[in-house]
């Protein structure tokens, strides 16, 4: 390390070689990851379409679900296409600037998965615990008070994290054993002191997903106490809360494993670490729209209606088959 540092070499181009240890089996990874990517794009696009085109789904809760679908739709686009090309054609090169841009986009957009779950928890809190003032709290001017701080927090922490990574000198190697530019995967290639980068990374992990999950847990604790005290009248109202808890639990498990796998000495193989980090971003994008579509009665009904209309429409010669009062776009 000292000899390389002395040569004052700093790489500006890198190679992403995630799952390289699989050898000749590596190209076969194209199939499952392409199917997951296709499922993510299709499911989230349909969910966004339904929420936009159905006036009955224009309430705050469904708008937040739609925003979650937007995040889940955009997040894989930043890294999955490059990863698929790498599997098929071994196209693995990326510049330092491109790596930093990809890192910021992935971490910034990904940070809103937990933040949106927090906003959904607030929506359920106001709907169940403050029903008489729900519309007042959920008006845009009032709800912006709960939006501004998390948005600024996510942006500030991610800009700081990426900026500090960009100032490092990478003289050890230009090979990143990952499928995308994950923060610690790049930082650990630096030849200087990375303690500040490690600290900022941990701080980001604590102040964004961990803080959000603590606030979400507190909100749902208050909600469940309120519901059980009021009797069975509002039991149905917590159905969406259970949906959010399922999504939150799955996201939290992958997030904690992904963040801590670089910082705790363990028996994780490199391929296992890359797989968990990839699933942390890709799995929720596939999982969330299906969970919300199945467990949310209104969305499920509109989706089944949409499927029926899609099957009927091609059989009609009249392009104005839909009635004027039809809710779809």
């Amino acid at each position: 390390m000292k000899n390389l540092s002395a040569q004052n070499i700093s790489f500006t181009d890198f190679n992403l070689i995630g799952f390289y240890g699989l050898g000749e089996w590596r190209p076969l990874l194209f199939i499952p990851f392409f199917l997951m990517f296709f499922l993510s794009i299709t499911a989230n696009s349909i969910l966004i379409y339904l929420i936009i085109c159905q006036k009955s789904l224009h309430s705050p809760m469904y708008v937040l679900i739609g925003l979650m679908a937007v995040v889940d739709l955009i997040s894989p686009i930043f890294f999955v296409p490059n990863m698929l090309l790498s599997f098929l054609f071994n196209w693995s090169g990326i510049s330092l600037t491109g790596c930093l841009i990809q890192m910021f986009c992935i971490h910034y957009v990904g940070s809103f998965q937990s933040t949106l779950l927090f906003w959904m928890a607030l929506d359920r809190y106001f709907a169940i615990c403050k029903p008489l003032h729900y519309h007042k709290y959920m008006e845009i001017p009032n709800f912006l008070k709960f939006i501004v701080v998390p948005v600024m927090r996510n942006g500030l922490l991610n800009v700081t994290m990426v900026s500090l990574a960009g100032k490092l000198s990478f003289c050890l190697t230009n090979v990143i054993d990952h499928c995308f530019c994950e923060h610690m995967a790049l930082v650990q290639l630096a030849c200087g002191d990375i303690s500040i980068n490690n600290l900022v990374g941990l701080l980001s992990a604590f102040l964004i997903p961990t803080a959000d999950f603590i606030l979400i847990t507190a909100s749902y604790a208050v909600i469940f106490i309120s519901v059980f005290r009021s009797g069975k009248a509002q039991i149905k109202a917590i159905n969406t809360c259970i949906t959010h808890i399922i999504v939150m639990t799955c996201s939290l498990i992958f997030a904690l494993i992904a963040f801590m796998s670089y910082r705790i000495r363990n028996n994780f193989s490199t391929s296992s670490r890359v797989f968990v980090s990839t699933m942390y971003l890709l799995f929720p994008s596939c999982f969330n729209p299906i969970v919300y579509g199945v467990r949310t009665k209104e969305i499920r009904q509109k989706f089944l209606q949409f499927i029926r209309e899609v099957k009927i429409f091609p059989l009609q010669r009249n392009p104005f088959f839909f009635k004027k009062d039809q809710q779809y776009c």
Side-chain angles (χ1 to χ4, degrees), residues 94-165:
I94 189 170
S95 66
L96 176 60
T97 301
C99 190
L100 294 173
I101 291 174
Q102 186 188 60
M103 183 192 302
F104 174 78
C105 292
I106 289 174
H107 287 285
Y108 183 66
V109 174
S111 66
F112 281 97
Q113 288 185 339
S114 63
T115 302
L116 278 164
L117 287 173
F118 168 60
W119 291 339
M120 291 179 186
L122 280 178
D123 173 81
R124 292 298 85 198
Y125 170 77
F126 292 138
I128 296 173
C129 300
K130 307 281 185 180
L132 297 179
H133 304 285
Y134 174 74
H135 293 290
K136 174 185 175 181
Y137 285 118
M138 294 305 295
E139 289 178 351
I140 295 298
N142 291 329
F143 196 67
L144 280 176
K145 299 175 183 178
F146 304 102
I147 293 178
V148 172
V149 173
V151 169
M152 292 179 61
R153 174 203 63 181
N154 294 0
L156 180 61
L157 288 172
N158 281 287
V159 167
T160 303
M161 184 173 65
V162 174
S163 299
L164 289 174

Side-chain angles (χ1 to χ4, degrees), residues 249-267:
T249 302
C250 294
S251 300
L252 179 60
I253 292 172
F254 277 112
L256 290 178
I257 296 175
F259 280 125
M260 301 310 297
S261 62
Y262 284 98
R263 297 173 173 87
I264 297 178
R265 297 297 177 184
N266 49 52
N267 295 323

Side-chain angles (χ1 to χ4, degrees), residues 51-217:
I51 292 174
I52 290 176
C53 293
Q54 285 289 327
K55 293 182 179 179
S56 61
L57 299 180
H58 288 182
S59 63
M61 181 183 71
Y62 298 115
V63 171
L64 290 172
I65 292 176
L67 290 175
M68 176 68 81
V70 171
V71 170
D72 290 336
L73 178 67
I74 294 175
S75 183
I77 294 176
F78 292 127
F79 72 97
V80 174
N82 289 340
M83 183 174 69
L84 295 178
L85 291 174
S86 176
F87 291 154
L88 281 184
F89 307 110
N90 203 28
W91 294 352
S92 58
I94 189 170
S95 66
L96 176 60
T97 301
C99 190
L100 294 173
I101 291 174
Q102 186 188 60
M103 183 192 302
F104 174 78
C105 292
I106 289 174
H107 287 285
Y108 183 66
V109 174
S111 66
F112 281 97
Q113 288 185 339
S114 63
T115 302
L116 278 164
L117 287 173
F118 168 60
W119 291 339
M120 291 179 186
L122 280 178
D123 173 81
R124 292 298 85 198
Y125 170 77
F126 292 138
I128 296 173
C129 300
K130 307 281 185 180
L132 297 179
H133 304 285
Y134 174 74
H135 293 290
K136 174 185 175 181
Y137 285 118
M138 294 305 295
E139 289 178 351
I140 295 298
N142 291 329
F143 196 67
L144 280 176
K145 299 175 183 178
F146 304 102
I147 293 178
V148 172
V149 173
V151 169
M152 292 179 61
R153 174 203 63 181
N154 294 0
L156 180 61
L157 288 172
N158 281 287
V159 167
T160 303
M161 184 173 65
V162 174
S163 299
L164 289 174
K167 294 180 180 180
L168 295 172
S169 295
F170 302 97
C171 58
L172 295 180
T173 180
N174 69 335
V175 176
I176 303 176
D177 200 350
H178 213 297
C179 292
F180 57 89
C181 287
E182 201 272 340
H183 176 247
M184 285 305 299
L186 176 66
V187 167
Q188 68 181 2
L189 302 183
C191 52
D193 182 19
I194 62 171
S195 57
I196 295 178
N197 302 83
N198 195 20
L199 178 62
V200 172
L202 284 173
L203 192 64
S204 299
F206 177 76
L207 292 180
I208 298 179
T210 306
D212 286 339
F213 285 124
I214 291 173
L215 293 172
I216 291 168
T217 302

